[in-house]
Amino acid sequence: QVQLVESGGGLVQPGGSLRLSCAASGRGFSINAMGWYRQAPGKQRELVAIITRGGSTNYADSVKGRFTISRDNAKNTVFLQMNSLKSEDTAVYFCNAMALETMRGRQFEVWGQGTLVTVSA
């Protein structure tokens, strides 16, 4: 079984920065794509950024130029550096990973518990 543990959320003023981290733990698996999603109050969950194992990235238009996703494959960890934060970035941020069970070759999706990011003066 694979677990994702997020950290780094909190309260920040508009224009400020935060860095989110998400580490995958467990045995007998490898991690393919990893990503960050967010869900604001009253809204649907949306993709923020995604990164493949090879390092290719994709971002939501709303965060391009402000957020950067990166990963450490050796540690099964993904990061989200968020700069120039705006009030509309306020949301619960969820880590997501596509894991591959090594023995059976079965791919499955894993979600973290979410971390709250609040952008407010």
Side-chain angles (χ1 to χ4, degrees):
Q1 198 161 2
V2 178
Q3 287 188 325
L4 300 178
V5 178
E6 300 130 331
S7 61
L11 174 64
V12 63
Q13 291 186 343
S17 298
L18 278 177
R19 188 182 195 225
L20 305 182
S21 300
C22 171
S25 63
R27 290 186 174 184
F29 70 95
S30 62
I31 298 293
N32 294 324
M34 300 187 80
W36 290 95
Y37 290 71
R38 67 186 181 186
Q39 187 166 18
K43 294 188 177 181
Q44 289 188 333
R45 190 174 298 190
E46 63 176 1
L47 173 69
V48 176
I50 191 167
I51 184 168
T52 67
R53 188 170 183 84
S56 296
T57 59
N58 192 30
Y59 295 91
D61 288 343
S62 59
V63 307
K64 283 181 180 177
R66 300 188 298 123
F67 291 10
T68 302
I69 190 170
S70 60
R71 65 186 289 170
D72 182 337
N73 289 333
K75 297 181 179 179
N76 285 325
T77 301
V78 64
F79 307 96
L80 185 69
Q81 178 65 44
M82 305 185 292
N83 298 329
S84 302
L85 282 161
K86 306 175 181 179
S87 58
E88 50 263 44
D89 294 317
T90 295
V92 177
Y93 284 69
F94 296 90
C95 179
N96 173 275
M98 293 303 298
L100 179 67
E101 190 178 353
T102 305
M103 185 171 290
R104 300 180 184 178
R106 179 179 67 95
Q107 184 164 265
F108 58 98
E109 189 174 33
V110 188
W111 289 92
Q113 80 285 357
T115 184
L116 178 62
V117 172
T118 303
V119 184
S120 175

